[in-house]
C-alpha cells in the first residue's frame, strides 16, 4: 500500500510544485500537498495541520528563505526543511543549511528528491525520539531528586570509605555543612561507643550478609549524641560497589519511650502502694492482730483479700505486657530439660491451685528433652495454660504433655472443657480478648494472659497456637527448637 | 525480737506495716519517711535490719544504700528493698549496691517476715 506523505511546498511556480508531487507519486507515495507563496500562507498552513516535510524554493518573490525557515522552526524545530532550487552556488546552499535547512536538492536532479526526503523524515523521527528521551530523563532525574532531597530520613552513599552522596537531612539535623560531610568517612561521625558495632555491621554487609536494621548514635556538630536507626544495602554506584544507607532519626521515638517507661513506673508504684496498704489492713484484721473476728466477719474480708490479689496480678500482667512490647524483657536463656520443668510446674500447680476436683495429669516422655530458653518464662506460659484450662473446664481432666516432634519439642495443655468457637480461635492471643467460655462462671480476667504467653514464647524463638472444638475441649500448645544437652 | 528500721514515704503503709511487724514478728520498729531521715536513724539507732523503699523524696533509696554501705557504722546492716517494680537490670543494680534482698509490692506480710528472719539469721550466722 502506498504511504501517505504530508508535504508543504513553498514555491511560486505551480508547475515546479507539481513536478515534486509527481516525483513522489512515481516512488509510490500518496502525497497530500499544499503550495504556499507568502509568509502568511505558510503560517496558516502550519497552524492548520502537521506536516511531514517542507520543500522550499530558494528564490521566493514574496519573502526569503531565511524567513521561511524561521517560521517553520518556530512551529516545529524538528520538521525537515528541504531546499529545492535551480543552481544557486555552494555558498548560498551552505548558508541556508547553516541557517537551519536540512538538505538541498537541485531542480535538475529531482530523482534524488525521494531518497533525501526519506532520509530526512527518518532523521527527524530520531531527533524527536531523542528529544523525548532526554525530556523523560530530565523528568525522572527531577522526580528522584525531589524524593531523595525532601525525604526526612538521611540518605547517604558511602564508597571506598567516603561519603560520596548525601541528601539535605544530615546537614539539617546535625548542624554540619554538607561540604564538611562529603568526602569524610561516616565512622568519624558515629559516637565512639558505637563505632565497633558499625564497623562490624558494614563489614558483614559488604561480605554479602543480610543485616537487620541497627541503632547507633551520631555526634552532632555541637557535640551532642543523637540516636539513629541505620538501614543499609550494597549497591552499584557509578560502576563501583558502594553502600547505600538510610538513617532514620529516632530521637523523638526514644524520648517517647522514656516518657512511657517513666509513666509505667509511676503508675505501677502509685497503683501498688494503696493496694498494698489495703491488702495489709484487711489481712491484719483476718489474722486477728486487732482482736478475734467471727466466721461471718472473716468471709467478706477473705473475699476482699482475694480481690486485692487479683488486682495485684492484673497490674503485674499489664506491666509485663508493656515491658514485653517495649522489648524491655530480654529472656535469660539457658539449656534445660523441658520434661523436668513441665513435671515440676504441673506438680506445683496441683498443690497451689484449686483444681475443682478435675484430674490434672502429665504425659511426659521418659528421656529428657533439652531446649535453650528462659526457664521462668516457659514455666509461666505453662502455668497460664493450666490456669486457663481449670477456669474453663467443669468436669473431666486436664493433661499436660511434652512430645518430641522432629527438631522441635511440643508442649501442650489439653482440657475437656467447653471449648472455643472457630470464630474466636484466631482472636485468642490478642490483647484484651475474653470469651465467655463458661457462661456465668464468674471467672474473669482481662484477657492478657495469652497475649503475654504468646510474646514470651516468641521471644524465646517458638510458636504458640490453640486448637479447639466447642463442647469437647481445647488444646493450647507451643513448640520450641530442641537443642543439645550441655 | 529485732530492731527494724522501716523507711518509706507512704505514711499509711509505714503505719500498717509497723503494726504487722510489732504484732506478728514481735519486732521493734523505727519509722522514717524519707532517705535522709532513714540515714540519720540508721546511724543513731543501729537497727538490725533496714526495710527501704526506692522511690522517695529528698534522698531516694539508691542513694541511701550507697551512703549506708559507705559508712562503717551502718555498712553491715542487711537491707531489704521494698520496690514496686523490678527488672533484670534493677535486680543486678540492687545486688551491686549491696542490698541483702528485695521484695515486690504488694507482698504478703508472711513473705516479708520470712525475709527479715533470713536476714537476721544471716547476720547471726
Amino acid at each position: 500500500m502506498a504511504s501517505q506523505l504530508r508535504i508543504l511546498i513553498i514555491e511560486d511556480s505551480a508547475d515546479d510544485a507539481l513536478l515534486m508531487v509527481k516525483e513522489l507519486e512515481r516512488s509510490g507515495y500518496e502525497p497530500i500537498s499544499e503550495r504556499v507563496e507568502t509568509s502568511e500562507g505558510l503560517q496558516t498552513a502550519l497552524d492548520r495541520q502537521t506536516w511531514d516535510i517542507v520543500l522550499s524554493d530558494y528564490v521566493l518573490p514574496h519573502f526569503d528563505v531565511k524567513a521561511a525557515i524561521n517560521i517553520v522552526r518556530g512551529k516545529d524545530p524538528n520538521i525537515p526543511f528541504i531546499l529545492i532550487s535551480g543552481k544557486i552556488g555552494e555558498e548560498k546552499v551552505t548558508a541556508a543549511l547553516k541557517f537551519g535547512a536540512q538538505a538541498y536538492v537541485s531542480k535538475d536532479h529531482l530523482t534524488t528528491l525521494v531518497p533525501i526526503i526519506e532520509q530526512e523524515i527518518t532523521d527527524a523521527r530520531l531527533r524527536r525520539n531523542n528529544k523525548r528521551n532526554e525530556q523523560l530523563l530530565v523528568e525522572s532525574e527531577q522526580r528522584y531528586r525531589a524524593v531523595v532531597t525532601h525525604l526526612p530520613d538521611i540518605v547517604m552513599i558511602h564508597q571506598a570509605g567516603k561519603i560520596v552522596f548525601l541528601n539535605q537531612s544530615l546537614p539539617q539535623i546535625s548542624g554540619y555543612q554538607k561540604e564538611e560531610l562529603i568526602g569524610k568517612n561516616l565512622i568519624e561521625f558515629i559516637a565512639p561507643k558505637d563505632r565497633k558495632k558499625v564497623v562490624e555491621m558494614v563489614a558483614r554487609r559488604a561480605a554479602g550478609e543480610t543485616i537487620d536494621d541497627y541503632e547507633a548514635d551520631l555526634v552532632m556538630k555541637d557535640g551532642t549524641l543523637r540516636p539513629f536507626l541505620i538501614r543499609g544495602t550494597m549497591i552499584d554506584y557509578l560502576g563501583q560497589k558502594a553502600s547505600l544507607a538510610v538513617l532514620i532519626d529516632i530521637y523523638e521515638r526514644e524520648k517517647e519511650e522514656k516518657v512511657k517507661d517513666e509513666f509505667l513506673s509511676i503508675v505501677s508504684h502509685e497503683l501498688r502502694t494503696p493496694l498494698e496498704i489495703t491488702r495489709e489492713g484487711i489481712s491484719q484484721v483476718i489474722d486477728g492482730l486487732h482482736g478475734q473476728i467471727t466466721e461471718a466477719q472473716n468471709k467478706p474480708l477473705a473475699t476482699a483479700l482475694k480481690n486485692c490479689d487479683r488486682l495485684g496480678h492484673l497490674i503485674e500482667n499489664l506491666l509485663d505486657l508493656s515491658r514485653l512490647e517495649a522489648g524491655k524483657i530480654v529472656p535469660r536463656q539457658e539449656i534445660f530439660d523441658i520434661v523436668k520443668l513441665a513435671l515440676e510446674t504441673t506438680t506445683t500447680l496441683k498443690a497451689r491451685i484449686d483444681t475443682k476436683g478435675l484430674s490434672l495429669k502429665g504425659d511426659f516422655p521418659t528421656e529428657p528433652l533439652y531446649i535453650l530458653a528462659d526457664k521462668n518464662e516457659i514455666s509461666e506460659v505453662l502455668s497460664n495454660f493450666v490456669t486457663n484450662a481449670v477456669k474453663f473446664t467443669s468436669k473431666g481432666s486436664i493433661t499436660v504433655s511434652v512430645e518430641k516432634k522432629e527438631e522441635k519439642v511440643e508442649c501442650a495443655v489439653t482440657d475437656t472443657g467447653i471449648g472455643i468457637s472457630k470464630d474466636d480461635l484466631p482472636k485468642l492471643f490478642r490483647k484484651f480478648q475474653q470469651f465467655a467460655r463458661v457462661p456465668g462462671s464468674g471467672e474473669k480476667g482481662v484477657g492478657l494472659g495469652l497475649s503475654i504467653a504468646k510474646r514470651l514464647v516468641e521471644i524465646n524463638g517458638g510458636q504458640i497456637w490453640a486448637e479447639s472444638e466447642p463442647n469437647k475441649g481445647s488444646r493450647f500448645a507451643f513448640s520450641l527448637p530442641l537443642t543439645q544437652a550441655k | 525480737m529485732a530492731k527494724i528500721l522501716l523507711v518509706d514515704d507512704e505514711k499509711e503503709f509505714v503505719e500498717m506495716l509497723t503494726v504487722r511487724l510489732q504484732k506478728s514478728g514481735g519486732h521493734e520498729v523505727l519509722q522514717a519517711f524519707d532517705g535522709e531521715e532513714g540515714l540519720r536513724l540508721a546511724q543513731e539507732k543501729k537497727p538490725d535490719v533496714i526495710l527501704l523503699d526506692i522511690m522517695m523524696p529528698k534522698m531516694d533509696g539508691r542513694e541511701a544504700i550507697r551512703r549506708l554501705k559507705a559508712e562503717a557504722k551502718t555498712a553491715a546492716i542487711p537491707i531489704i528493698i521494698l520496690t514496686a517494680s523490678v527488672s533484670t537490670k534493677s535486680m543486678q543494680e540492687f545486688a551491686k549496691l549491696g542490698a541483702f534482698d528485695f521484695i515486690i509490692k504488694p507482698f504478703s506480710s508472711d513473705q516479708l517476715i520470712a525475709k527479715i528472719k533470713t536476714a537476721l539469721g544471716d547476720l547471726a550466722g
Side-chain angles (χ1 to χ4, degrees):
Chain A
M1 207 184 104
S3 331
Q4 276 196 351
L5 207 56
R6 292 160 299 184
I7 308 170
L8 183 58
I9 304 171
I10 310 168
E11 175 66 77
D12 57 327
S13 154
D15 289 347
D16 283 358
L18 194 62
L19 275 175
M20 295 172 204
V21 172
K22 288 272 178 229
E23 191 59 36
L24 279 160
E25 281 172 349
R26 220 192 340 263
S27 299
Y29 286 97
E30 276 180 11
I32 298 166
S33 66
E34 181 174 341
R35 186 175 65 89
V36 295
E37 292 183 55
T38 60
S39 58
E40 294 79 26
L42 176 62
Q43 192 66 59
T44 313
L46 286 168
D47 287 344
R48 198 175 50 239
Q49 69 167 93
T50 55
W51 299 95
D52 295 315
I53 200 149
V54 177
L55 304 178
S56 173
D57 193 0
Y58 186 78
V59 189
L60 299 165
H62 304 293
F63 69 124
D64 68 65
V65 138
K66 276 187 184 175
I69 292 173
N70 269 338
I71 292 168
V72 172
R73 288 286 164 263
K75 190 73 194 169
D76 178 351
N78 290 307
I79 183 166
F81 190 101
I82 298 176
L83 216 50
I84 301 178
S85 183
K87 253 199 164 349
I88 51 169
E90 280 72 28
E91 227 168 273
K92 284 178 179 165
V93 170
T94 313
L97 294 181
K98 227 175 194 169
F99 204 73
Q102 261 73 35
Y104 163 78
V105 175
S106 165
K107 276 187 181 171
D108 304 331
H109 294 92
L110 272 186
T111 44
T112 57
L113 181 63
V114 172
I116 285 186
I117 285 178
E118 285 171 348
Q119 178 63 46
E120 288 308 324
I121 286 176
T122 310
D123 286 357
R125 194 178 301 132
L126 276 175
R127 278 198 301 276
R128 281 199 183 95
N129 280 346
N130 283 344
K131 194 82 196 155
R132 176 88 193 116
N133 286 344
E134 250 170 56
Q135 184 62 27
L136 284 175
L137 211 63
V138 168
E139 280 170 18
S140 159
E141 154 80 13
Q142 281 171 345
R143 209 161 31 234
Y144 283 110
R145 185 171 291 275
V147 170
V148 172
T149 307
H150 297 118
L151 203 66
D153 300 331
I154 296 166
V155 178
M156 165 187 306
I157 296 174
H158 212 255
Q159 196 171 44
K162 279 179 194 159
I163 298 170
V164 292
F165 173 85
L166 196 61
N167 69 351
Q168 277 308 317
S169 296
L170 186 56
Q172 274 165 9
I173 299 168
S174 69
Y176 285 109
Q177 295 297 312
K178 204 168 176 176
E179 300 72 47
E180 295 177 83
L181 298 158
I182 293 282
K184 298 277 176 57
N185 192 318
L186 172 64
I187 209 75
E188 291 175 38
F189 302 95
I190 301 281
K193 67 176 177 71
D194 291 330
R195 282 185 189 165
K196 208 178 136 198
K197 174 167 78 181
V198 175
V199 169
E200 190 199 316
M201 291 297 187
V202 170
R204 280 169 60 192
R205 186 178 296 124
E209 233 181 286
T210 311
I211 303 291
D212 287 341
D213 300 350
Y214 60 95
E215 291 179 23
D217 285 359
L218 256 64
V219 186
M220 304 291 101
K221 190 159 188 182
D222 64 5
T224 54
L225 300 182
R226 202 175 173 97
F228 288 87
L229 188 72
I230 302 179
R231 170 178 295 179
T233 185
M234 294 307 292
I235 59 162
D236 186 80
Y237 182 67
L238 305 177
Q240 279 183 29
K241 223 172 156 188
S243 155
L244 168 68
V246 176
L247 281 72
I248 300 160
D249 186 359
I250 51 172
Y251 176 71
E252 289 301 324
R253 199 173 82 188
E254 298 251 299
K255 216 165 70 183
E256 274 166 29
E257 263 173 33
K258 254 182 212 147
V259 171
K260 194 182 157 199
D261 280 355
E262 266 164 37
F263 172 75
L264 274 175
S265 164
I266 289 164
V267 164
S268 71
H269 188 262
E270 296 309 309
L271 283 175
R272 280 195 250 213
T273 306
L275 185 63
E276 175 64 19
I277 297 169
T278 310
R279 194 191 184 287
E280 178 57 27
I282 296 167
S283 124
Q284 283 184 9
V285 178
I286 291 177
D287 291 353
L289 295 189
H290 305 280
Q292 281 308 113
I293 56 163
T294 66
E295 190 61 31
Q297 285 165 336
N298 184 69
K299 209 177 158 192
L301 289 173
T303 307
L305 195 62
K306 199 175 93 186
N307 280 278
C308 281
D309 289 341
R310 207 174 108 193
L311 194 55
H313 188 64
L314 172 63
I315 295 168
E316 210 54 55
N317 272 350
L318 272 170
L319 288 170
D320 274 356
L321 192 65
S322 308
R323 286 196 209 109
L324 275 167
E325 285 186 341
K328 288 273 183 285
I329 294 185
V330 181
R332 293 205 286 177
Q333 296 191 325
E334 56 180 309
I335 295 173
F336 64 91
D337 174 14
I338 191 169
V339 178
K340 194 171 160 221
L341 179 84
L343 184 67
E344 282 169 3
T345 308
T346 312
T347 313
T348 315
L349 286 172
K350 223 178 206 168
R352 214 182 64 201
I353 59 169
D354 173 14
T355 53
K356 307 188 293 194
L358 300 163
S359 77
L360 183 56
K361 298 184 290 193
D363 180 8
F364 306 127
T366 45
E367 84 276 9
L369 294 171
Y370 293 97
I371 59 165
L372 174 68
D374 185 312
K375 217 169 166 175
N376 288 332
E377 289 172 1
I378 298 308
S379 172
E380 195 180 322
V381 175
L382 258 181
S383 301
N384 173 275
F385 281 1
V386 174
T387 318
N388 272 345
V390 170
K391 246 188 232 179
F392 299 109
T393 309
S394 50
K395 60 172 192 272
S397 64
I398 291 159
T399 309
V400 181
S401 63
V402 178
E403 199 183 341
K404 186 183 166 194
K405 286 208 167 161
E406 288 166 16
E407 296 306 301
K408 286 179 178 175
V409 59
E410 191 175 303
C411 200
V413 173
T414 311
D415 66 46
T416 54
I418 194 146
I420 307 143
S421 80
K422 243 198 181 87
D423 291 345
D424 286 341
L425 265 179
K427 300 182 208 156
L428 273 179
F429 296 99
R430 289 185 208 157
K431 260 182 287 182
F432 304 111
Q433 290 291 339
Q434 275 189 302
F435 308 100
R437 289 203 289 177
V438 185
S441 73
E443 295 283 7
K444 282 261 164 71
V446 277
L448 285 177
L450 282 174
S451 75
I452 291 173
K454 180 173 191 282
R455 285 179 185 268
L456 288 177
V457 168
E458 284 170 355
I459 59 171
N460 280 288
Q463 277 106 42
I464 194 167
W465 68 94
E467 298 149 29
S468 186
E469 214 174 305
N471 300 319
K472 288 209 169 148
S474 307
R475 181 176 186 272
F476 283 82
F478 64 86
S479 73
L480 286 160
L482 272 170
T483 189
Q484 296 297 314
K486 276 173 278 190
Chain B
M1 152 158 162
K3 198 194 289 176
I4 297 172
L5 170 61
L6 175 53
V7 193
D8 196 307
D9 61 320
E10 284 285 339
K11 283 206 166 69
E12 286 181 334
F13 174 75
V14 171
E15 292 302 340
M16 199 68 90
L17 203 56
T18 301
V19 173
R20 170 66 72 177
L21 294 171
Q22 285 168 339
K23 295 203 173 179
S24 291
H27 300 298
E28 179 193 342
V29 180
L30 304 164
Q31 300 177 339
F33 304 105
D34 62 63
E36 270 177 25
E37 201 184 349
L39 204 64
R40 189 178 53 76
L41 272 179
Q43 281 159 358
E44 268 173 33
K45 313 267 178 173
K46 279 188 237 145
D48 300 311
V49 178
I50 300 173
L51 305 180
L52 184 68
D53 183 25
I54 286 293
M55 294 205 325
M56 280 186 300
K58 285 189 191 169
M59 184 192 295
D60 79 348
R62 289 181 179 82
E63 185 54 29
I65 302 179
R66 260 180 231 120
R67 303 257 189 116
L68 286 166
K69 291 294 165 192
E71 188 76 37
K73 266 200 273 185
T74 52
I77 306 172
I79 300 167
I80 298 174
I81 292 174
L82 312 172
T83 177
S85 63
V86 70
S87 62
T88 316
K89 206 174 127 196
S90 62
M91 254 160 60
Q92 284 165 351
E93 191 198 351
F94 295 159
K96 213 170 144 193
L97 284 169
F100 176 79
D101 203 349
F102 66 89
I103 189 160
I104 304 169
K105 296 175 183 179
F107 48 79
S108 77
S109 40
D110 292 349
Q111 269 177 295
L112 180 65
I113 287 167
K115 280 187 191 268
I116 291 171
K117 212 170 164 184
T118 315
L120 289 169
D122 213 62
L123 200 65

